[in-house]
Amino acid sequence: MKTLHIDVVIGLAILLFSIVFYSLSAQIPADPAVFPKLILSILALFSLLIIWTGVSKTLSAKKERLKNIPIFKHARGPAVTFIALCVYLALINLLGFFTASSLAAIFFMFYFGVKSYIQALLVVILMNTFVYLLFVWQLRISLPTGLFI
Amino acid sequence: MAIDTTLLLSVLAQLASPDVLLMLVVGVLGGIFLGALPGLSATMGIALLIPVTFGMQPVAALVLLAAIYASAVYGGSITAILIHTPGTPASAATAIDGYQMTLRGEGLKALGTSTLCSVIGGLVSVVALLLLAPPLAQISLRFSAPEYFLIAIFGLTIIGSLSSGAMAKGLSAGLLGLLISLVGVDVMTAYPRFTFGVAELESGISLIPAMIGLFSISQVMIQAEKLHGANNLTSQTPTLSGNLFPSREEWRKLRRTISRSSIIGVVVGALPGAGGDVASWVAYNEAKRNAKNPVSFGKGDIEGLAAAETANNAVTGGAMIPLLTLGIPGSAATAVMLGGLYIHGLQPGHELFTANAHIVYAIIVGLLLANILMGVVGLALAKQVVKVATVPFAILAPIIVVLSVVGSFTINNSMFDVYVMAAFGLLGYLMRKTDFPTAAIVLAMILGAMAEIGFRQSLVMSKGNMLGYYFDRPFSLLIMGLILLALVSPLIVRWKRQKSQHAI
């Protein structure tokens, strides 16, 4: 797997996706299924093209003895960011929008490298004030509440 | 053309009233602000403000909405240029070269060029709206299902052909976007498709949360890579010095691009369903095709930036043509504006230009003034606006995340949209890492419904002979020619380049 170009893996994933969703389209009545089936058929064709491109890239890299550079080499930061986002969204219903947002903002600031507590606190206060004034006060949006606001 | 003096005086009197002037200023400032903030778009701003305009006079209310529309398209480019986060889908093409210019230390010039091009594009479009509405409306009247379907396909092929060296990936992303647009209850049979029993999916996947995720959250994730990588986050802070305006030589070089892009913007804007996003890509593609050095596109070429910026603002007036004459919105934002017209008791069509002429012309002239004011405010604030980019990403990241969450929630007051935004954030990150254009998904989601309805209606209308039916229609033939050109031209250009390299 290590020597394969990422396009081969992506192409196979798209092909699998097309097959699964095409079979799901088979359960839809004929008329509303026409367009999805057409799209999925073309998508499957393109996936074969991507696989073919990936295979030729793999072969040429082997020929030229090039090292395969992993695309997701620095994936730890994005993974932590995404997990933190998911936790933040879960906390919104539990703690309320403003409390969860404040905690998330503090986490993101320190994770991304803010060192000053005062700076972080100032950003949290200004951000919450802005969101409150624009969305709650001006546009009358009722943001989710939980144990707190 | 004879000018109705009474009408002109009535229009000027309405525009000179304090509440209309106030709404003009609020609309321009608010629009730039909304567009510049990642996660907030013109469509969302207009949608959020429609309830606020309930108690206003129609002219004041609609001038406010039109000013927000024009200015947000411009404002969306500020973040696209400075932090590679397009505020609106129309600014996605701007981000390509604009951000590269910023990284090169020419962020200020990129902003100045963007402002000037946006004003020129906007003004040309308003003049076109004033002069060309009747003949263009006549052409649009001849459009039927096959043409709508083909316009959608044309938009997608443009995206595909822009993904240089990876057309299959560009077109696959477009197809995936089309598929996403099909999620929900089928508009023609009311049958739920790909909803998996989830009630929230029945109304489909909302465009704005998807867009926020694809552009804003994926950007935060991309930046997070630098935390553990070789590059430090602080090294990405752009250098913002130098000139605000392009040099005389650059300006001379841009004149043709600006003229061409203005026309593209107006025409694409006037075509129903194809908005600023399509126009900016088409103009960008055309500028690249006509450039002496197309290789520099994507690496901070001022022509690429000018093309996208002129076209996306030229769309604003163009998109109002089918909106005001036929009631067909030319873009997502004008679709929301259509709601604003109805709320104020205005019916698009012939009557709007006769019985309510004093209102509609006041809105059009108001849009003209908004474009001028947008340029003045933009140039005056450009140096202050660039300070946004000097704020460390560690401060911007939580603001982007929180605004993305609140922006997605606001669309339907639903946490489901927020989850959609997060999912699209992950998808956007994976796509960007594997060279799939994220803008193709957004564009396909916008064009999806139009493409499907056009396809299925023409399937019925053709009575089994779809190909013959399409070839019998001159407008269909014209658009099919354009599609073919968009698909084949990158291949021909590549072949020619290879041939000339071999010759050397």
Side-chain angles (χ1 to χ4, degrees):
Chain A
M1 271 308 260
K2 262 187 180 178
T3 51
L4 275 180
H5 192 273
I6 189 79
D7 282 1
V8 180
V9 184
I10 295 164
L12 285 169
I14 297 174
L15 185 64
L16 189 70
F17 173 87
S18 309
I19 294 167
V20 169
F21 274 78
Y22 194 94
S23 60
L24 286 172
S25 304
Q27 297 161 15
I28 301 171
D31 195 26
V34 174
F35 201 60
K37 279 182 177 173
L38 177 75
I39 291 169
L40 287 160
S41 306
I42 305 170
L43 189 62
L45 285 176
F46 278 125
S47 74
L48 294 175
L49 203 63
I50 294 168
I51 294 169
W52 182 70
T53 316
V55 169
S56 45
K57 279 178 186 170
T58 310
L59 291 176
S60 64
K62 241 183 195 175
K63 210 174 166 184
E64 290 166 32
R65 294 182 180 184
L66 291 173
K67 270 193 177 176
N68 189 20
I69 303 160
I71 289 173
F72 299 103
K73 196 182 170 186
H74 306 294
R76 205 171 81 193
V80 172
T81 305
F82 187 71
I83 293 166
L85 174 67
C86 294
V87 173
Y88 165 39
L89 300 188
L91 285 177
I92 289 177
N93 285 329
L94 188 73
L95 302 175
F97 175 81
F98 285 104
T99 314
S101 298
S102 304
L103 291 174
I106 290 167
F107 170 80
F108 280 118
M109 271 188 279
F110 286 113
Y111 185 66
F112 275 83
V114 168
K115 290 189 173 72
S116 160
Y117 285 94
I118 297 167
Q119 198 179 27
L121 195 70
L122 205 68
V123 171
V124 168
I125 293 168
L126 287 174
M127 186 186 73
N128 281 327
T129 311
F130 170 76
V131 171
Y132 182 83
L133 288 177
L134 181 63
F135 292 93
V136 181
W137 186 68
Q138 185 62 38
L139 297 169
R140 298 172 195 279
I141 307 285
S142 52
L143 293 168
T145 51
L147 290 171
F148 311 99
I149 54 160
Chain B
M1 194 176 75
I3 294 173
D4 187 336
T5 328
T6 323
L7 181 63
L8 189 68
L9 287 173
S10 160
V11 165
L12 292 177
Q14 285 186 87
L15 286 170
S17 72
D19 55 338
V20 175
L21 288 174
L22 180 69
M23 285 306 118
L24 195 66
V25 176
V26 170
V28 168
L29 284 170
I32 294 175
F33 186 61
L34 273 168
L37 283 168
L40 301 185
S41 66
T43 316
M44 190 187 132
I46 297 165
L48 291 176
L49 278 166
I50 283 177
V52 181
T53 66
F54 278 152
M56 294 181 194
Q57 289 298 313
V59 173
L62 292 161
V63 162
L64 171 71
L65 299 182
I68 285 178
Y69 173 40
S71 309
V73 173
Y74 160 68
S77 307
I78 296 173
T79 42
I81 290 166
L82 297 178
I83 52 172
H84 200 257
T85 304
T88 62
S91 309
T94 304
I96 302 175
D97 284 289
Y99 185 59
Q100 290 302 320
M101 283 180 76
T102 302
L103 290 181
R104 218 168 47 201
E106 293 179 338
L108 210 55
K109 191 196 274 182
L111 275 178
T113 309
S114 152
T115 309
L116 289 173
C117 292
S118 296
V119 172
I120 295 169
L123 289 177
V124 169
S125 78
V126 180
V127 173
L129 171 64
L130 273 169
L131 301 176
L132 300 175
L136 275 172
Q138 287 297 318
I139 292 173
S140 301
L141 273 173
R142 293 185 191 179
F143 275 26
S144 188
E147 286 78 21
Y148 288 133
F149 170 65
L150 289 171
I151 287 169
I153 300 304
F154 178 54
L156 293 175
T157 49
I158 290 293
I159 290 281
S161 62
L162 272 172
S163 329
S164 54
M167 196 190 271
K169 284 186 176 180
L171 294 172
S172 299
L175 289 167
L176 186 64
L178 279 181
L179 206 65
I180 292 166
S181 76
L182 300 181
V183 173
V185 172
D186 172 34
V187 282
M188 292 170 89
T189 61
Y191 190 89
R193 293 180 296 190
F194 310 121
T195 55
F196 308 104
V198 179
E200 285 93 341
L201 282 178
E202 286 188 2
S203 53
I205 291 174
S206 300
L207 174 70
I208 292 167
M211 197 188 81
I212 293 171
L214 284 171
F215 290 116
S216 303
I217 296 298
S218 74
Q219 180 63 20
V220 175
M221 289 172 78
I222 293 275
Q223 291 288 332
E225 279 192 343
K226 289 157 193 161
L227 284 170
H228 303 286
N231 300 322
N232 192 296
L233 273 178
T234 49
S235 67
Q236 293 300 307
T237 305
T239 313
L240 296 159
S241 54
N243 296 324
L244 179 60
F245 297 109
S247 67
R248 195 172 287 181
E249 199 182 319
E250 282 172 324
W251 191 245
R252 207 176 301 134
K253 206 173 79 175
L254 292 178
R255 278 192 305 206
R256 192 176 282 185
T257 304
I258 292 172
S259 312
R260 189 195 312 115
S261 306
S262 297
I263 297 165
I264 291 172
V266 172
V267 174
V268 173
L271 296 176
D277 22 33
V278 180
S280 57
W281 286 113
V282 174
Y284 185 84
N285 202 25
E286 282 306 300
K288 189 178 177 182
R289 212 169 54 82
N290 288 290
K292 280 182 187 165
N293 186 21
V295 185
S296 66
F297 275 65
K299 293 170 187 162
D301 195 303
I302 198 167
E303 261 189 271
L305 170 76
E309 274 308 280
T310 311
N312 66 17
N313 268 81
V315 155
T316 54
M320 301 279 271
I321 298 171
L323 176 81
L324 298 176
T325 54
L326 300 167
I328 301 171
S331 65
T334 45
V336 184
M337 278 187 75
L338 184 62
L341 278 174
Y342 283 124
I343 281 167
H344 289 278
L346 299 167
Q347 191 82 28
H350 181 66
E351 202 179 307
L352 192 62
F353 285 87
T354 49
N356 292 313
H358 61 291
I359 296 176
V360 78
Y361 284 111
I363 298 164
I364 295 170
V365 180
L367 186 63
L368 188 97
L369 295 176
N371 273 291
I372 297 167
L373 190 62
M374 179 187 86
V376 175
V377 171
L379 288 176
L381 295 181
K383 282 192 176 175
Q384 277 65 46
V385 170
V386 292
K387 283 176 186 164
V388 171
T390 62
V391 176
F393 197 78
I395 302 284
L396 284 177
I399 297 173
I400 293 172
V401 171
V402 171
L403 285 180
S404 298
V405 170
V406 72
S408 304
F409 179 83
T410 311
I411 305 300
N412 294 313
N413 271 7
S414 153
M415 275 305 285
F416 185 78
D417 281 343
V418 182
Y419 305 143
V420 166
M421 179 274 297
F424 273 83
L426 182 63
L427 179 70
Y429 170 72
L430 295 174
M431 285 180 73
R432 287 171 71 168
K433 290 302 291 176
T434 50
D435 296 327
F436 278 81
T438 45
I441 286 208
V442 175
L443 186 68
M445 284 178 75
I446 295 168
L447 299 175
M450 187 172 90
E452 189 188 11
I453 293 168
F455 175 76
R456 283 164 67 183
Q457 281 180 345
S458 51
L459 207 63
V460 176
M461 287 154 76
S462 64
K463 292 171 187 165
N465 182 17
M466 201 157 161
L467 215 61
Y469 183 67
Y470 272 65
F471 277 96
D472 266 352
R473 303 176 68 89
F475 282 109
S476 292
L477 269 173
L478 179 74
I479 307 167
M480 280 195 281
L482 290 171
I483 292 170
L484 202 67
L485 202 69
L487 283 171
V488 175
S489 59
L491 300 174
I492 295 172
V493 168
R494 202 188 304 165
W495 176 72
K496 272 189 175 176
R497 202 176 296 150
Q498 277 173 351
K499 203 178 160 189
S500 60
Q501 276 170 353
H502 281 301
I504 293 164

